[in-house]
Amino acid sequence: MKFMDLQAQLEDNRRSVAFDSYDISVRQLYDMTLEGMIDIAPDYQRHFVWDEARQSELIESLFLGIPVPTLYMATNRDSSWEVIDGLQRLTTIINYVGSLDVIKEVNAKGSKLKISSLEKLSSLNGTRYEDLPKSLQVMFQTRPIRVTVLNDRSDNSVRYDLFERLNTGGVNLHPQEIRNCVYTGEFNDFIKELSMNDSFRNVVKVTKSSANKGVYEELVLKFFCYYEQRDKFVHNVKEFLNDYMESKTKSFKNKVRLRNIFEQTFNELERSLPNGIVRGNRLNVTPMVLFEAIAIGTADVIDNDIAVRQGVIQDLLDNEALKKLTSGATNSRKRLHDRINFVKDAIEHDFRNN
């Protein structure tokens, strides 16, 4: 029975993945990137980390005809390709062949590649692409690279899974960075816009490195997901957020209502919590589970037209009962409901008794 289940899972998941493979020349890849046929997503660009020596090794491998790892792409709705795995290699080619203007367009911090540290082709050390005779330029441009493309018959969950599994650029992508590449569209733009909201930024405290990895955007997503669909949460937060974002990417019809509750909630929290959602007297980092309890609980009382008295939410931050609900094993539907309802009930109780 166990292997029958395995066979069914294999057949089901293999049907959901559809690939096409091509051998494409260096020149074609370069031209396709410049023409927008290959997209290096803005959320992904900043993760170019190869130094000059590592880039030079790739150029040497291409000159020598040594096979380089396959580039993986995904097909977008407009038939363009988006890089899943291969950012370092593709950007290196552009840094070598492209003009400075082209390089800056693809990667704002990029620079022209001067070859260095090679042993086999040591004569290339200290040179740039423009220094090569035409025959060597043509040789380089016609080198083939294997490209495997996830076509548009595969769903977004497969694309997310591939981003997560195949990314080998030396910097692990945060789940929200992957979502920003996979779930493109109006709802993703909406999340990014609200993540810049001043009241939200004043209330939520994250580290600089986290801010650069999409944590603000993920917290906006988490706010809406728990506000609308907390009853569907089971245990896996990542998959829960992915499913919600997938549904909103397909159909986003309540933009005004969601914007209003978001802005009302964080305007109220900015008023009630001048130091933000933090525990103690130090301006430290917002605990994510505490964020869920305070933000969603406050949104619920705003929905019920309950006025929040000054000091009530501030007192909740260090409440011992809430501490217990926001520590330990917290990823269950019951614990999620318990901590949100604790905040909601406390604010409503204060309202009724004052």
Side-chain angles (χ1 to χ4, degrees):
M1 178 61 70
K2 180 177 181 180
F3 291 110
M4 289 177 63
D5 291 342
L6 174 60
Q7 185 65 36
Q9 290 173 343
L10 283 170
E11 291 177 0
D12 183 58
N13 285 282
R14 283 176 66 85
R15 280 196 297 269
S16 67
V17 183
F19 288 104
D20 297 307
S21 293
Y22 310 90
D23 288 314
I24 301 179
S25 71
V26 166
R27 183 70 202 188
Q28 286 175 303
L29 287 170
Y30 175 80
D31 288 342
M32 289 174 73
T33 304
L34 264 59
E35 293 170 13
M37 297 171 67
I38 294 177
D39 177 39
I40 302 174
D43 299 282
Y44 199 27
Q45 287 176 6
R46 65 176 172 270
H47 291 301
F48 182 72
V49 296
W50 278 7
D51 60 16
E52 192 175 79
R54 184 67 186 87
Q55 292 182 73
S56 297
E57 288 178 7
L58 175 70
I59 302 304
E60 181 181 53
S61 294
L62 289 168
F63 267 119
L64 292 172
I66 297 172
V68 300
T70 299
L71 303 181
Y72 287 89
M73 311 278 184
T75 304
N76 295 319
R77 290 186 179 89
D78 63 0
S79 296
S80 65
W81 293 349
E82 184 169 313
V83 177
I84 292 181
D85 183 64
L87 170 72
Q88 312 297 322
R89 282 157 276 156
L90 187 55
T91 306
T92 293
I93 288 170
I94 293 167
N95 287 348
Y96 189 53
V97 175
S99 66
L100 189 57
D101 287 343
V102 168
I103 293 168
K104 293 296 183 183
E105 184 177 343
V106 173
N107 179 10
K109 296 181 180 179
S111 59
K112 283 290 294 179
L113 174 60
K114 179 188 286 187
I115 300 299
S116 66
S117 307
L118 298 185
E119 296 182 2
K120 291 184 175 66
L121 298 181
S122 58
S123 296
L124 279 178
N125 290 335
T127 68
R128 291 188 170 91
Y129 177 77
E130 292 75 16
D131 299 326
L132 301 177
K134 187 67 175 179
S135 59
L136 290 180
Q137 290 182 357
V138 171
M139 176 191 292
F140 182 76
Q141 289 184 19
T142 55
R143 290 301 191 196
I145 298 178
R146 191 70 169 173
V147 179
T148 296
V149 183
L150 178 69
N151 68 37
D152 56 8
R153 295 194 301 277
S154 296
D155 61 28
N156 282 332
S157 63
V158 174
R159 184 180 298 209
Y160 183 97
D161 192 40
L162 288 175
F163 258 100
E164 193 172 46
R165 289 171 185 243
L166 294 176
N167 176 241
T168 58
V171 178
N172 290 330
L173 293 177
H174 184 276
Q176 191 61 33
E177 293 180 292
I178 301 177
R179 293 185 192 105
N180 288 340
C181 295
V182 172
Y183 301 106
T184 58
E186 185 181 7
F187 184 64
N188 194 21
D189 293 341
F190 180 67
I191 286 175
K192 290 180 180 180
E193 176 194 346
L194 292 185
S195 74
M196 302 302 294
N197 178 279
D198 288 339
S199 296
F200 171 71
R201 291 278 181 131
N202 289 336
V203 166
V204 179
K205 309 295 182 181
V206 305
T207 64
K208 184 176 180 180
S209 62
S210 294
N212 290 335
K213 290 185 175 182
V215 169
Y216 279 123
E217 291 94 328
E218 184 173 75
L219 289 176
V220 176
L221 172 63
K222 187 174 285 189
F223 173 83
F224 289 132
C225 189
Y226 290 162
Y227 173 70
E228 287 200 301
Q229 295 188 0
R230 74 193 76 158
D231 288 341
K232 294 183 179 180
F233 178 69
V234 179
H235 179 72
N236 190 308
V237 176
K238 182 177 67 177
E239 291 183 6
F240 183 55
L241 296 179
N242 287 353
D243 290 344
Y244 178 79
M245 197 156 185
E246 170 84 12
S247 68
K248 288 297 183 183
T249 300
K250 291 178 178 177
S251 178
F252 182 30
K253 298 179 180 178
N254 52 352
K255 183 175 182 177
V256 173
R257 181 176 68 83
L258 290 182
R259 180 188 295 278
N260 286 341
I261 190 62
F262 181 89
E263 291 177 348
Q264 290 176 51
T265 297
F266 288 99
N267 286 343
E268 176 57 53
L269 290 177
E270 184 180 36
R271 182 187 73 86
S272 296
L273 303 174
N275 292 330
I277 304 176
V278 293
R279 285 191 166 117
N281 296 321
R282 295 185 296 112
L283 300 181
N284 49 19
V285 175
T286 297
M288 296 299 102
V289 182
L290 182 62
F291 166 85
E292 297 163 10
I294 296 294
I296 309 304
T298 302
D300 283 353
V301 298
I302 289 173
D303 267 347
N304 293 334
D305 293 322
I306 301 294
V308 182
R309 193 171 60 86
Q310 190 71 24
V312 176
I313 301 179
Q314 183 70 57
D315 291 342
L316 287 174
L317 295 181
D318 291 310
N319 181 284
E320 290 300 323
L322 185 58
K323 283 183 179 180
K324 291 180 180 179
L325 291 172
T326 55
S327 59
T330 59
N331 282 344
S332 71
R333 183 186 300 162
K334 183 180 184 305
R335 292 297 294 273
L336 174 66
H337 279 265
D338 285 350
R339 57 182 176 262
I340 292 172
N341 289 336
F342 183 90
V343 172
K344 173 178 174 288
D345 292 346
I347 297 173
E348 289 184 345
H349 177 79
D350 177 83
F351 176 76
R352 288 192 298 269
N353 290 278
N354 286 281

